Amino acid sequence: MNRKQERTLLSIITLVSLSLLPFAIVKRSFKDWIIVFLVGCIGNAFADRLLVSNGYLKYKVRPFKKKFAIHFPFDFIHYPLLLLYYNQWTLNSRPLGIILKLFPFIIPQTIIETVVEKYSDLITWRKGWTWYHSFGSLFIKFLLCRLIIASIRKINNAKISTT
């Protein structure tokens, strides 16, 4: 892929994600979905920044190249959107269901990331980073965020003392 094709692909994916975002947030439990979205943004931006600064990942083609070393659309749009849909799908699931329902999200994401890394400059893996590192990090980040939102729901449902 040349740079123009990479930028076009990135723009299309970002526009599709932005158009799907309102459908994911504007639902019952609006507050929960905003929290999921923000936790996803903050957590992924922190993890991405750590990986980029330690040299495991590099993004040659990215918006706001001079301002951010991270991949802004992925960290603040794509990943949080996937996280929203995952959390909504697993809202009433048991632990085994939560884990099993994770695979339809992280397997395609890992495959896409592997293909994009191999055939474009959108992402470059370095220092031994491979697809199973991406798979594992997505697995951990999704479950961690799911645990955070479950904890917030549990705290929110507890009786709050007003005295």
Side-chain angles (χ1 to χ4, degrees):
M1 284 184 146
N2 63 37
R3 291 287 165 124
K4 186 174 181 179
Q5 290 172 325
E6 291 169 349
R7 290 186 188 280
T8 302
L9 176 65
L10 186 58
S11 297
I12 290 170
I13 292 170
T14 302
L15 289 173
V16 168
S17 295
L18 283 171
S19 65
L20 291 173
L21 191 58
F23 298 107
I25 291 181
V26 182
K27 291 186 175 196
R28 202 178 102 237
S29 299
F30 178 76
K31 175 181 61 174
D32 288 352
W33 306 136
I34 292 293
I35 292 170
V36 169
F37 185 81
L38 293 175
V39 166
C41 288
I42 293 166
N44 202 53
F46 176 75
D48 202 16
R49 178 74 179 145
L50 187 66
L51 292 171
V52 168
S53 65
N54 287 324
Y56 292 102
L57 303 176
K58 184 175 181 179
Y59 305 107
K60 293 179 185 171
V61 178
R62 66 183 186 274
F64 314 114
K65 195 172 193 164
K66 296 189 192 285
K67 300 253 183 211
F68 301 103
I70 61 174
H71 197 280
F72 195 82
F74 179 76
D75 291 337
F76 293 103
I77 301 169
H78 307 156
Y79 174 77
L81 180 65
L82 289 174
L83 198 56
L84 277 169
Y85 282 116
Y86 169 71
N87 273 273
Q88 290 170 0
W89 192 26
T90 61
L91 183 62
N92 297 313
S93 298
R94 293 178 179 226
L96 181 61
I98 290 170
I99 291 171
L100 292 176
K101 290 177 180 178
L102 187 57
F103 294 106
F105 288 91
I106 62 174
I107 289 173
Q109 178 64 33
T110 303
I111 291 169
I112 291 167
E113 191 173 316
T114 303
V115 170
V116 166
E117 194 278 333
K118 187 173 184 174
Y119 296 108
S120 76
D121 283 334
L122 290 174
I123 185 170
T124 303
W125 294 338
R126 298 166 36 179
K127 290 188 172 181
W129 190 270
T130 61
W131 69 267
Y132 51 86
H133 293 100
S134 291
F135 182 87
S137 68
L138 285 169
F139 188 88
I140 290 167
K141 288 187 296 185
F142 268 77
L143 285 181
L144 186 61
C145 184
R146 181 65 175 81
L147 178 66
I148 290 169
I149 194 63
S151 301
I152 290 171
R153 280 194 191 104
K154 195 162 208 81
I155 291 168
N156 194 34
N157 289 337
K159 299 284 182 196
I160 299 173
S161 174
T162 57
T163 59

